[in-house]
């Protein structure tokens, strides 16, 4: 199985969703994982920005016994994003259901 498909499958399993199977209809009609509460899109890349990895690592190093979280905001952006490891999200919320 291709790595991006494996990511979608693993994400669906860990969060209690169902992976959406589609042919050539990529990114056009549904998210990668159907879920009753979350709209889940998975992105697999050869490399993730070192900036993001450094932020999580920095948070881990301050308090190794706490869950590291990275909050991201771009200039002029409304709101912000929070980045957690999937395993930490799963530990916090378990299987996310409505």
């Amino acid at each position: 199985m291709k790595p991006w498909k494996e990511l979608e499958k693993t994400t669906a399993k860990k969060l209690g969703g169902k992976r959406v199977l589609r042919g050539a209809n990529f990114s056009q009609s549904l998210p990668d994982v159907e879920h009753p509460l979350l709209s889940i899109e998975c992105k697999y890349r050869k490399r993730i920005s070192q900036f993001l990895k450094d932020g999580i690592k920095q948070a881990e190093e301050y308090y190794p016994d706490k869950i590291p979280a990275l909050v991201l905001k771009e200039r002029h952006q409304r709101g912000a994003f929070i980045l957690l490891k999937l395993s930490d999200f799963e530990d916090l919320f378990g299987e996310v259901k409505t």
Side-chain angles (χ1 to χ4, degrees):
M1 181 177 286
K2 295 190 181 218
W4 60 269
K5 288 181 182 180
E6 187 63 37
L7 174 63
E8 292 175 3
K9 182 180 170 184
T10 299
T11 300
K13 183 178 179 181
K14 288 183 178 284
L15 298 181
K18 182 180 177 195
R19 182 171 175 257
V20 175
L21 303 175
R22 40 173 116 61
N25 183 19
F26 290 101
S27 303
Q28 294 179 14
S29 61
L30 295 169
D32 294 328
V33 176
E34 278 290 333
H35 191 277
L37 182 64
L38 304 170
S39 178
I40 303 170
E41 191 65 22
C42 299
K43 297 297 180 193
Y44 179 88
R45 294 291 177 260
K46 185 175 181 179
R47 286 206 171 102
I48 295 175
S49 165
Q50 192 62 46
F51 172 76
L52 300 177
K53 293 189 283 188
D54 287 347
I56 287 291
K57 183 179 178 194
Q58 187 176 358
E60 287 173 326
E61 289 173 351
Y62 290 133
Y63 294 103
D65 57 327
K66 292 185 178 183
I67 293 174
L70 177 62
V71 177
L72 303 160
K73 182 171 174 64
E74 193 173 65
R75 185 176 7 164
H76 306 299
Q77 176 184 333
R78 285 187 163 189
F81 300 108
I82 187 165
L83 176 70
L84 300 172
K85 292 180 180 177
L86 180 57
S87 59
D88 290 335
F89 185 93
E90 185 183 20
D91 288 345
L92 282 171
F93 301 106
E95 187 174 312
V96 182
K97 295 181 180 179
T98 58

